[in-house]
Amino acid sequence: MEDFEQELKMDFLEEAEDLLSHAESAFLRLEEEREDAELLNEIFRVAHNLKGTSKAVGFDQMAQLTHIAENLILKLKEGELQVTDAIVSGLLEFKDKVEEMIKGLLDDLDASFEIDSVTANLESLTSGQVSAEAEEVEPQASIEEERVLDNSLFDDSEDPFDEEVVSTEEFPDAAMFEESSEVAEESMVSDAALESLRELGLSEEELEGLGGTPAASADEEALSFQNVEKLPVVESKVEQTPVAEPKKEAKKESGQKDESIRVNLSRIDNINNIIGELVILQTVLSQRRYVNIKDELSNKSISMMGKLFKEVQEVAMSLRMLPLKGAFQKMNRIVRDTSKALGKDAKLVMVGEETEVDKTVLERISDPLVHIVRNAVDHGLESDEDRVASGKGKGVIQIKAFHEGSNLAIQITDDGKGIDHEVIRAKAVEKKIISANSTMTPDEIIQLIFHPGFSTKEQVTEVSGRGVGMDVVKTNIEALGGQVKVESKIGEGSSFKIMIPLTLAIIEGLVINSDGQKFVIPLSQVHELTQVNEADVEKFTGAAELFRLRGEVMPLFHINKKLGAKVEQKASNIVVVVKGLGRSFGVAVDDVLIQQQIVIKKLGEDLRGKQGIMGSAIMSDGMPSLILDLFELFKNDLKESKAHKEYKEGQAA
């Protein structure tokens, strides 16, 4: 396969992924807006573009499958079939199969797939056999009246209904790329087509070698994705009206549109790495202002440079930021499929889907969201009968995103029955996760739902019961340096609040000193700094020390002891107070040096996976420092500390 052809195919697969994401959203909207002609036009256009372009680049199986789906959509568009749940499910199944094909083709451009079952289902839906809501028609009459596209493209045999076919469309085939020189001279490649080929990296000489001179043939234009609409279109009685954009977005179209280009992520990462190094150098200079550097103009220039670097850094980081809309829209499908499987009537409400977050965070947040949303439908919402009895209507799952400080907050709320901590406790005792005489607060009991293997379901189903879902949530969120908080009220519903950093590349950090070594604590974990006198610390043999802060008793740990450094007895200690996930504790440090932006560097093989170490950083003196995750570093101490348990038991009493 030539490089040009390979690039063309890979370019199509990238664009096809975007089309599919848009298609799934449209299919789900179709279930709610069944009579929306504009929406059907939009869906038809997506299918038509996907079919024509996939055939043009040589993905015949995808073109064949999309062709059959297009027949179904055409019947819906013309009013010959009515939208039903079965049809929407069939279209979603078609989308899943094409998505599977795209993933397979990204690994192997010559891969083939099993599409018979999906094809048969789509053909059955098109004929009206599956849909219970479709009008009953005579099978032969249905065939004779059906406006189908020319199936002979996929079958060399003679079409028995050849005389009834209205469409004259033909897919682009090899003949389109072997036009005679006579046609070539008459057809001029558009500027858009030439520009598309140049963006793929072809030089003018290569264009000329392919016959793509300024007076080139239309071959490249036929291949250009900028000119997909120039492929042959269906000639039928259907009026080809322009597809209108959704009304909600109409207001945004006023004014000049923002143009976009595709850029390899590696280039963006490279820019961020370089800017990160500049930030380190700027920090070095800033800390030497008025000490080693006395010149007033130089000091002012350094200050201005710091501001400019911060702006450049924010712009560079924004290149990696993507809206949560795509991840949120996937939850629509989860709610639909789960509610139908369980026989519940539920809908999803999305708020703040335009909130942006780092691409890496976006990729890792998907699985936790799936498990929480599915759990909300399965465990949170009551059955339809119980909801009617309690005066509730259709079940509502709300997923809301917003910025809270330097963190991204995602809140998933349901209006279901809430979490009964007594039921959780009984199941935890049954599974021997806790003992029968354990004293725990209701909030602590609810946190047990995150324990590996915990589930209140008696039987394992396709939806739940294995006890791995919420464990995945906790593990993935904590791996991002985030936290999960659960609030619930019996009869009113539950709320899961996820707090994660906006980016994993640069953080605000507190630089501390421990036995002459510098360490960094993420500022998002620091609740406050305080001074604790040694006389106010209560000590227990073999247990954590305790101290009281404004009436609240907390465990006190020493960073030096945890890191294996020397612990000096002092009259007072500087304590970093940490709060989160229902855990509050203090960490004594030798000194707090400075708060600054920290560029996170990857750990070496010898430190990777070490508990409590989330990364490294280069400090202003050029020396490396470790970034500590205090929640992870002292996790076992909090669990095993006898003093901590006694403190909690006393608090519960």
Side-chain angles (χ1 to χ4, degrees):
M1 183 184 300
E2 294 183 2
D3 291 342
F4 170 71
E5 184 182 354
Q6 183 172 344
E7 286 186 48
L8 210 57
K9 288 185 174 184
M10 296 302 291
D11 194 15
F12 161 72
L13 292 174
E14 288 182 14
E15 293 194 12
E17 286 181 308
D18 294 337
L19 280 174
L20 277 188
S21 176
H22 181 69
E24 181 176 64
S25 175
F27 293 157
L28 293 170
R29 282 169 52 205
L30 184 63
E31 196 165 33
E32 301 295 328
E33 306 167 23
R34 303 191 177 195
E35 303 299 326
D36 192 332
E38 290 184 359
L39 180 57
L40 284 169
N41 275 330
E42 183 181 336
I43 292 172
F44 181 79
R45 186 166 187 165
V46 169
H48 188 68
N49 286 353
L50 187 61
K51 178 200 72 174
T53 316
S54 59
K55 182 67 179 178
V57 298
F59 294 140
D60 292 344
Q61 269 194 315
M62 188 182 298
Q64 178 184 354
L65 182 60
T66 314
H67 167 74
I68 297 169
E70 188 184 33
N71 284 339
L72 173 60
I73 298 165
L74 184 60
K75 278 202 163 189
L76 296 173
K77 186 168 173 283
E78 293 182 339
E80 295 181 25
L81 285 177
Q82 297 298 313
V83 177
T84 65
D85 288 348
I87 286 178
V88 173
S89 296
L91 290 173
L92 288 170
E93 183 186 10
F94 152 73
K95 175 261 171 187
D96 291 341
K97 175 55 69 173
V98 176
E99 189 173 53
E100 176 191 325
M101 296 171 78
I102 289 173
K103 289 179 180 178
L105 290 168
L106 284 170
D107 294 331
D108 180 9
L109 291 175
D110 297 319
S112 59
F113 307 89
E114 193 283 314
I115 62 172
D116 293 343
S117 59
V118 180
T119 298
N121 186 37
L122 289 173
E123 289 176 338
S124 181
L125 289 167
T126 304
S127 66
Q129 294 175 8
V130 175
S131 175
E133 296 178 26
E135 294 183 1
E136 293 185 10
V137 294
E138 291 297 326
Q140 185 61 31
S142 174
I143 293 173
E144 291 175 353
E145 294 174 3
E146 182 180 4
R147 287 190 178 95
V148 296
L149 302 177
D150 191 358
N151 283 308
S152 61
L153 290 163
F154 308 113
D155 189 352
D156 293 335
S157 62
E158 184 179 355
D159 189 348
F161 308 106
D162 184 52
E163 296 179 1
E164 297 297 327
V165 175
V166 179
S167 170
T168 60
E169 174 182 352
E170 292 184 1
F171 283 125
D173 53 20
M176 290 186 66
F177 309 107
E178 296 176 1
E179 296 282 351
S180 66
S181 59
E182 181 179 351
V183 176
E185 290 176 1
E186 295 175 359
S187 303
M188 303 292 287
V189 178
S190 69
D191 292 339
L194 283 173
E195 188 60 31
S196 297
L197 294 173
R198 290 190 183 97
E199 286 179 3
L200 290 175
L202 271 71
S203 65
E204 295 297 333
E205 292 77 9
E206 289 173 315
L207 286 173
E208 186 174 356
L210 289 167
T213 60
S217 69
D219 296 0
E220 292 89 349
E221 185 174 12
L223 286 170
S224 172
F225 297 112
Q226 302 293 334
N227 297 282
V228 167
E229 291 307 311
K230 295 188 179 183
L231 291 171
V233 295
V234 179
E235 294 181 14
S236 69
K237 296 180 181 180
V238 183
E239 184 179 354
Q240 300 294 331
T241 55
V243 177
E245 292 295 325
K247 294 179 180 179
K248 294 180 181 179
E249 299 179 2
K251 295 179 180 179
K252 298 180 182 179
E253 295 300 320
S254 59
Q256 187 176 0
K257 287 186 179 180
D258 286 338
E259 295 185 1
S260 61
I261 60 171
R262 290 183 182 273
V263 180
N264 288 336
L265 189 60
S266 58
R267 292 188 180 185
I268 297 175
D269 289 339
N270 192 32
I271 290 174
N272 281 314
N273 288 336
I274 293 171
I275 292 175
E277 297 298 328
L278 289 174
V279 170
I280 293 171
L281 292 175
Q282 188 272 329
T283 304
V284 173
L285 291 174
S286 294
Q287 293 186 4
R288 281 157 178 74
R289 291 172 59 207
Y290 304 110
V291 180
N292 302 89
I293 303 174
K294 305 293 185 180
D295 180 60
E296 186 67 24
L297 180 59
S298 297
N299 285 322
K300 287 183 178 179
S301 298
I302 292 172
S303 177
M304 181 60 68
M305 185 173 63
K307 293 178 182 178
L308 291 174
F309 275 169
K310 189 167 185 178
E311 288 182 15
V312 172
Q313 185 182 50
E314 288 174 355
V315 171
M317 291 304 301
S318 70
L319 298 178
R320 286 187 56 92
M321 306 293 272
L322 296 173
L324 285 163
K325 187 175 182 179
F328 277 19
Q329 285 180 342
K330 291 178 182 177
M331 299 307 109
N332 253 326
R333 177 77 179 277
I334 298 297
V335 171
R336 177 192 182 274
D337 291 351
T338 306
S339 60
K340 286 189 178 299
L342 298 171
K344 296 181 179 181
D345 191 14
K347 68 175 181 178
L348 178 70
V349 176
M350 298 183 293
V351 180
E353 61 264 36
E354 296 301 328
T355 305
E356 292 188 335
V357 68
D358 188 277
K359 184 179 184 296
T360 304
V361 175
L362 184 62
E363 290 171 349
R364 296 189 192 177
I365 197 67
S366 181
D367 281 349
L369 286 180
V370 168
H371 288 293
I372 293 178
V373 170
R374 184 183 289 141
N375 191 74
V377 178
D378 186 13
H379 296 275
L381 298 181
E382 309 95 327
S383 65
D384 290 353
E385 294 78 13
D386 290 342
R387 290 186 69 85
V388 170
S390 58
K392 295 181 179 180
K394 188 174 187 176
V396 178
I397 310 291
Q398 184 189 71
I399 180 166
K400 179 181 179 181
F402 53 96
H403 289 158
E404 194 168 287
S406 60
N407 292 319
L408 168 71
I410 300 178
Q411 196 162 12
I412 301 97
T413 308
D414 67 72
D415 64 345
K417 57 190 174 185
I419 301 174
D420 189 339
H421 67 273
E422 291 298 337
V423 173
I424 301 295
R425 178 185 175 83
K427 183 61 68 172
V429 172
E430 178 189 325
K431 290 180 175 289
K432 298 182 179 179
I433 295 174
I434 60 173
S435 61
N437 57 359
S438 294
T439 305
M440 301 176 71
T441 66
D443 286 341
E444 282 184 319
I445 293 172
I446 290 176
Q447 292 296 324
L448 292 174
I449 65 175
F450 295 108
H451 193 281
F454 184 87
S455 177
T456 55
K457 280 293 186 76
E458 297 297 335
Q459 294 182 340
V460 176
T461 66
E462 291 183 2
V463 177
S464 63
R466 295 175 179 82
V468 297
M470 302 312 290
D471 177 39
V472 169
V473 170
K474 187 170 185 286
T475 302
N476 286 18
I477 296 302
E478 289 185 349
L480 289 170
Q483 306 171 43
V484 188
K485 184 180 180 181
V486 185
E487 293 180 354
S488 185
K489 194 169 183 180
I490 300 297
E492 295 185 13
S494 305
S495 174
F496 288 75
K497 187 175 182 180
I498 299 173
M499 296 286 289
I500 50 178
L502 285 173
T503 176
L504 303 180
I506 297 177
I507 61 170
E508 286 289 335
L510 190 70
V511 183
I512 64 165
N513 180 37
S514 171
D515 195 24
Q517 298 291 322
K518 291 179 181 177
F519 294 92
V520 178
I521 300 172
L523 201 61
S524 59
Q525 295 188 1
V526 179
H527 181 70
E528 64 178 294
L529 297 174
T530 188
Q531 197 91 11
V532 178
N533 295 324
E534 187 69 18
D536 297 330
V537 178
E538 298 182 43
K539 300 182 180 181
F540 301 87
T541 304
E545 301 174 354
L546 299 177
F547 76 102
R548 190 180 297 273
L549 180 65
R550 292 188 291 275
E552 182 180 0
V553 180
M554 301 182 192
L556 177 65
F557 305 108
H558 290 267
I559 193 78
N560 289 20
K561 183 178 180 181
K562 190 66 178 177
L563 298 175
K566 181 174 62 177
V567 180
E568 295 183 359
Q569 295 297 323
K570 300 178 181 179
S572 65
N573 292 287
I574 299 173
V575 175
V576 178
V577 179
V578 183
K579 287 189 177 183
L581 289 176
R583 300 174 293 180
S584 302
F585 59 96
V587 179
V589 300
D590 288 347
D591 197 7
V592 174
L593 303 178
I594 191 174
Q595 174 188 330
Q596 67 180 62
Q597 283 193 327
I598 300 296
V599 180
I600 301 177
K601 301 289 185 180
K602 292 182 180 179
L603 291 169
E605 292 294 336
D606 53 337
L607 288 174
R608 193 169 299 164
K610 293 284 186 181
Q611 182 177 330
I613 301 177
M614 61 183 294
S616 62
I618 304 298
M619 307 310 294
S620 58
D621 57 5
M623 298 299 291
S625 293
L626 295 176
I627 303 172
L628 304 177
D629 182 344
L630 296 183
F631 289 116
E632 280 296 308
L633 192 64
F634 294 102
K635 181 170 66 174
N636 294 335
D637 299 82
L638 286 168
K639 284 182 179 179
E640 299 171 3
S641 170
K642 179 181 177 182
H644 181 60
K645 290 181 180 179
E646 290 175 349
Y647 144 65
K648 285 293 185 182
E649 288 171 1
Q651 190 182 55

